[in-house]
Amino acid sequence: MKVLGIESSCDETAAAVVEDGRNIITSVVASQVEIHARYGGVVPEVASRQHMLSIIPVIDRALGDTGIDCKDMDGIAVTYGPGLAGALLVGMNVAKTISAARNIPFVGVNHLEAHIYANWLDSDQQTMLGEENLFPCLCLIISGGHSDLVFMKGHGQFERVGKTRDDAAGEAFDKAARILGLGYPGGPVIEQAATQGKPSFQLPRAQLRDSYDFSFSGVKTALWHLAHRENIVQDDSRIADIAASFQSAIVDSVVKKTVRAAEDMGVQHILVSGGVSANKALRNALNQASPVAVHIPPIRLCTDNAAMIASCGYFHLVAGEKSSLDLDIIPSLSFMDKAAIS
Ligand code: KG4
Ligand code: ZN
């Protein structure tokens, strides 16, 4: 079953075709990072306009790469939230138009849930093939807008058990990079700077005992004070040490909380996803600290892409779900909290 995935929730315009939820036939991502970099972050209005310019060429390129025609698709999956309203509308309207014109079933997918499905893509991992042993598992989704711990009982069955109380992990990286004058997006530049430094500064790690929630605003504020106290201007080695200290504080908090949640819940697998999971220090630390199997997608599939949207859409479509053409975008969409479900 071939599904066309479309993604336009933030600053990447993307289209992909995925077969049976696992095999990527084609995946095209047009990044707007360079356009937004000059403003130090994503400008919503600029993002929507750029999606309008890119969406058709991106879909054409994805299909042209393989010679597949739209009419050969068995389904269309599109992000309906969370994300920037104007940006989401572009992908949603294109998906509805193709669905109506070609009479192809379409399904709206939650972008956060889709990040988890990056773990199914091009996977030769035994656990993904033998799913009977995978569930229930714990999912860690760490991106620019979210930091969630989600208990996954099966396909489409999610309960959020932890979330950030303030900044998302990726947002903290982005703000820290701005404070240190390193540019945008912050995660990759902090990671790069950290390779030249040592985590010699002690920055706070919020514990939030008796909770699986995260908090990253304290470490960001501490970094701001440290950067001003240390007068970092023109001192690359000190910037590198501060970047390494910051990265290490975020990695420590994420790893400790995730491992504790996995142990408490008795799961055998942790699925990691979202842009911040591209961070090598985090990938290594989680693998080392976790007593259970840790699965992290290849780096190119950690950040926003449409293959994960197509994969997630496939699992909804095979479960018999599809969306009607009056589906609307939900910019503030999230996972249901456990308390709200039970
Ligand atoms: O998942 P994503 O592409 O978009 C959202 O759905 O938010 O995540 C983007 C976020 C940005 O905040 C970016 O700084 C962060 O992921 N990120 C990283 C790395 N690569 C991207 N954070 C830490 N280390 C990285 N290597
Ligand atoms: Zn994302």
Side-chain angles (χ1 to χ4, degrees):
M1 178 169 173
K2 290 191 191 68
V3 175
L4 170 67
I6 296 176
E7 156 65 30
S8 69
S9 65
C10 189
D11 59 348
E12 328 277 0
T13 319
V17 178
V18 173
E19 192 161 36
D20 297 336
R22 291 184 173 81
N23 306 323
I24 301 176
I25 299 176
T26 173
S27 176
V28 174
V29 179
S31 175
Q32 304 175 7
V33 159
E34 281 176 20
I35 296 168
H36 298 289
R38 76 185 77 141
Y39 305 107
V42 178
V43 182
E45 194 54 33
V46 174
S48 340
R49 282 168 185 273
Q50 203 55 40
H51 284 305
M52 300 241 290
L53 293 173
S54 306
I55 190 90
I56 300 296
V58 163
I59 294 173
D60 275 351
R61 218 181 97 204
L63 296 174
D65 275 357
T66 50
I68 304 174
D69 193 277
C70 250
K71 68 175 178 359
D72 301 326
M73 293 300 131
D74 303 295
I76 299 178
V78 64
T79 305
Y80 75 108
L84 302 168
L88 288 165
L89 277 172
V90 177
M92 173 62 85
N93 284 320
V94 169
K96 283 181 181 173
T97 306
I98 300 174
S99 165
R102 299 290 180 142
N103 200 21
I104 304 168
F106 109 103
V107 63
V109 307
N110 179 331
H111 178 90
L112 301 172
E113 185 184 326
H115 266 302
I116 297 171
Y117 278 90
N119 280 289
W120 268 259
L121 290 167
D122 280 351
S123 173
D124 52 3
Q125 299 176 30
Q126 201 57 38
T127 46
M128 295 304 165
L129 302 172
E131 277 170 15
E132 60 282 2
N133 299 320
L134 178 66
F135 300 123
C137 60
L138 179 71
C139 305
L140 167 69
I141 306 146
I142 29 175
S143 67
H146 294 81
S147 298
D148 288 337
L149 276 170
V150 175
F151 187 67
M152 183 177 185
K153 287 191 202 155
H155 292 296
Q157 294 175 271
F158 302 95
E159 289 175 3
R160 186 168 67 179
V161 293
K163 59 181 183 303
T164 179
R165 295 204 182 161
D166 37 58
D167 292 350
E171 186 182 358
F173 270 107
D174 294 337
K175 288 176 176 168
R178 198 179 313 170
I179 292 168
L180 297 177
L182 292 174
Y184 175 85
V189 287
I190 296 249
E191 177 169 23
Q192 175 56 33
T195 59
Q196 312 299 317
K198 293 196 179 58
S200 47
F201 295 98
Q202 191 58 34
L203 289 168
R205 281 107 165 114
Q207 299 295 322
L208 302 178
R209 288 180 213 285
D210 304 325
S211 161
Y212 300 123
D213 284 353
F214 300 104
S215 167
F216 300 112
S217 71
V219 61
K220 174 198 64 189
T221 307
L223 175 102
W224 188 88
H225 287 297
L226 177 64
H228 285 79
R229 197 177 67 226
E230 291 293 317
N231 191 19
I232 54 168
V233 185
Q234 308 290 340
D235 189 341
D236 285 350
S237 80
R238 215 173 294 179
I239 290 178
D241 287 347
I242 297 177
S245 308
F246 180 79
Q247 176 174 270
S248 147
I250 301 263
V251 167
D252 263 13
S253 325
V254 171
V255 169
K256 281 211 182 84
K257 195 129 289 188
T258 305
V259 167
R260 180 157 68 78
E263 284 172 342
D264 291 354
M265 286 165 199
V267 298
Q268 293 307 311
H269 297 272
I270 299 173
L271 307 190
V272 189
S273 57
V276 181
S277 61
N279 186 280
K280 294 188 201 70
L282 176 69
R283 296 165 83 94
N284 293 339
L286 256 178
N287 274 314
Q288 272 174 20
S290 174
V292 302
V294 176
H295 309 274
I296 316 179
I299 286 176
R300 75 194 150 84
L301 294 172
C302 289
T303 45
D304 288 350
N305 64 85
M308 67 187 198
I309 307 296
S311 172
C312 184
Y314 163 84
F315 285 99
H316 282 283
L317 288 165
V318 292
E321 293 166 35
K322 57 180 192 162
S323 304
S324 75
L325 287 176
D326 57 12
L327 177 73
D328 206 353
I329 55 155
I330 306 185
S332 59
L333 188 67
S334 64
F335 285 109
M336 284 271 252
D337 286 330
K338 191 170 193 306
I341 294 170
S342 50

